[in-house]
Amino acid sequence: MNDLTDAPATAPAPIPLGQTIYLAADGFVDDLVAELGDVAQVDGRLVFADGPARPAAWAQNIWFDPVKIEIPSIKGGAKALRGIQRNWALWSQRHHRRASLIQENLPHVSSKPVEFPSALPTAPLGSWTLLDESTIVAAARCSSPYRHGEIPFIENRTAPPNRAYLKLWEALTLFGEQPGPGDRCLDLGACPGGWTWVLHELGASVVSVDKAPLDPAIARLPRVEIRQESAFGLKPQDVGPVDWLCCDVICYPTRLLRLVRDWMDSGLAKRFICTLKFQAATDHETARAFAAIPGGRVLHLSQNKHELTWMWPAR
């Protein structure tokens, strides 16, 4: 049988693994394993754990209810995947040429860059990989509608003062709504102004707080109020009601947690997007404390480094 052209009359039957597969954020496999606890297998950035999905902030994508498929050929592998659903993203871990040939025999899935702001895709996108030459592992349903949990934005390389704006673009996209005209936003740790620029571009007014000065071009924006002081010395009642509290300030996560709790207790902030920045070691205990706040969500954005993003209220 010609491996490229021939295929069996019927597609091989998928076999449920009884596991969940977690794609670790790049460079943070150990953090994901520490977060999950007991795992069955680590294969590159793929972490296999028995049972249904668990909360996993350090997973960039989660493969729900994966199945194993024994394939007799490239065409047979593609036929088996098409028999489950249309749209698939290959996680190429080994046998790269063979895997790419299987993917080429699947329907094309657009990967064109995303213009911000855009709504989340509604079409399901599954993930698959080759365990060996004749074994596919695939999940038709994943936690992210984007390929491997990465949003390929059309970047603005001229107006923002740094690349931190991409982090807020990603957070707002996943949040499912954005600030707009009439909204009042608080940007804590604003310097040099990338997040302030995003919020202002969306039509909101922004209170930018940082001991360091903003980039002059950002400081001149018409709906930006500058407070050159510490984010931690600012009391909620000194600012008043805000529709969005955004914080990318450099601090220990425990200090950020106290700030967030003060603002939540005040009732003056409707929504939060905050970055938990870790120093040498990951503070899993504080990350769990953020995750335990009802209605919130902790995740590792593809634009994050050694940090997590907390959003509240999360949809």
Side-chain angles (χ1 to χ4, degrees):
M1 182 168 66
N2 187 320
D3 195 40
L4 287 172
T5 59
D6 297 330
T10 58
I15 302 171
L17 290 183
Q19 297 178 319
T20 302
I21 301 175
Y22 305 82
L23 174 63
D26 192 13
F28 299 105
V29 173
D30 290 344
D31 286 293
L32 175 58
V33 171
E35 180 184 19
L36 290 172
D38 183 39
V39 302
Q41 179 186 358
V42 177
D43 186 3
R45 284 174 57 189
L46 296 178
V47 178
F48 295 66
D50 293 337
R54 313 170 198 170
W58 292 99
Q60 197 159 292
N61 198 17
I62 301 176
W63 301 13
F64 301 111
D65 303 317
V67 296
K68 181 171 70 173
I69 310 168
E70 299 297 335
I71 61 170
S73 65
I74 289 168
K75 290 283 190 180
K79 182 177 181 179
L81 290 172
R82 288 197 306 271
I84 298 173
Q85 69 175 25
R86 181 189 187 280
N87 297 335
W88 292 97
L90 164 65
W91 178 256
S92 189
Q93 188 133 292
R94 57 180 62 83
H95 304 295
H96 302 292
R97 177 59 179 162
R98 184 174 180 84
S100 65
L101 288 171
I102 294 173
Q103 185 69 38
E104 287 170 11
N105 278 273
L106 295 172
H108 175 71
V109 178
S110 175
S111 58
K112 64 181 181 180
V114 175
E115 183 176 358
F116 179 83
S118 294
L120 290 170
T122 56
L125 178 63
S127 294
W128 72 279
T129 192
L130 280 177
L131 288 186
D132 54 50
E133 285 192 351
S134 60
T135 309
I136 284 176
V137 166
R141 188 169 64 94
C142 294
S143 61
S144 175
Y146 297 97
R147 184 177 177 270
H148 312 320
E150 301 173 359
I151 308 179
F153 287 115
I154 301 172
E155 296 190 27
N156 187 318
R157 301 183 184 275
T158 55
N162 61 2
R163 290 178 55 80
Y165 76 96
L166 290 168
K167 188 161 44 177
L168 188 54
W169 272 10
E170 183 176 358
L172 289 170
T173 300
L174 297 177
F175 202 106
E177 62 177 309
Q178 293 87 37
D183 282 342
R184 186 170 187 248
C185 303
L186 179 63
D187 182 10
L188 299 177
C191 177
W195 283 29
T196 291
W197 174 82
V198 170
L199 300 168
H200 187 272
E201 283 290 294
L202 290 167
S205 61
V206 189
V207 180
S208 295
V209 180
D210 203 305
K211 289 190 289 186
L214 290 181
D215 180 278
I218 306 301
R220 289 194 297 267
L221 294 173
R223 296 185 308 281
V224 172
E225 175 190 342
I226 300 170
R227 298 199 181 190
Q228 203 162 333
E229 57 184 297
S230 168
F232 299 97
L234 196 65
K235 295 183 177 3
Q237 56 267 30
D238 295 335
V239 179
V242 294
D243 298 286
W244 297 80
L245 188 154
C246 299
C247 181
D248 198 33
V249 71
I250 299 172
C251 68
Y252 286 105
T254 50
R255 197 176 188 195
L256 176 65
L257 182 60
R258 289 194 295 271
L259 181 149
V260 163
R261 283 175 171 163
D262 286 345
W263 272 94
M264 295 192 81
D265 289 344
S266 76
L268 292 173
K270 292 182 180 179
R271 306 169 188 85
F272 293 78
I273 295 178
C274 300
T275 307
L276 287 69
K277 296 176 182 284
F278 303 106
Q279 309 301 317
T282 302
D283 183 351
H284 290 286
E285 182 180 354
T286 304
R288 286 193 293 269
F290 270 99
I293 297 173
R297 180 185 180 191
V298 179
L299 68 164
H300 187 280
L301 304 174
S302 62
Q303 296 294 334
N304 282 146
K305 297 178 182 177
H306 189 199
E307 54 194 17
L308 295 172
T309 296
W310 174 72
M311 303 189 295
W312 182 94
R315 292 187 172 187

